[in-house]
Amino acid sequence: MPKISPELLSVLRCPVTGSPLVQEGEELVATAAGQDGATPRYTIEDGIPLLLPPQLLAPATAAGSDQHDSKPAAGTAG
């Protein structure tokens, strides 16, 4: 299980609630509940916390990695 350093955890905040995050296993968990009463949880993949609000996480992970690669457009210097 990748452990997030205490220094990093001290500066990370939940993008939904603004509260500090704590690590529970393979996830970071907000220390305060959101407006819907649920406590936001964020996955850690390859040691990197995915701090996207739940409504944005599914579209972001569904996008293929080729959509994020920057390739120069045809006819431009690159």
Side-chain angles (χ1 to χ4, degrees):
M1 161 179 68
K3 181 84 170 147
I4 303 297
S5 74
E7 294 83 12
L8 180 56
L9 275 176
S10 72
V11 297
L12 289 179
R13 295 291 180 262
C14 172
V16 174
T17 66
S19 66
L21 297 164
V22 293
Q23 185 168 0
E24 291 183 5
E26 298 287 325
E27 295 180 315
L28 293 181
V29 182
T31 56
Q35 290 181 346
D36 61 358
T39 303
R41 304 179 80 82
Y42 303 96
T43 305
I44 302 169
E45 289 188 12
D46 297 324
I48 300 169
L50 301 179
L51 297 180
L52 288 174
Q55 65 271 20
L56 297 179
L57 185 58
T61 55
S65 62
D66 60 326
Q67 294 179 8
H68 300 290
D69 293 339
S70 59
K71 296 177 185 168
T76 61

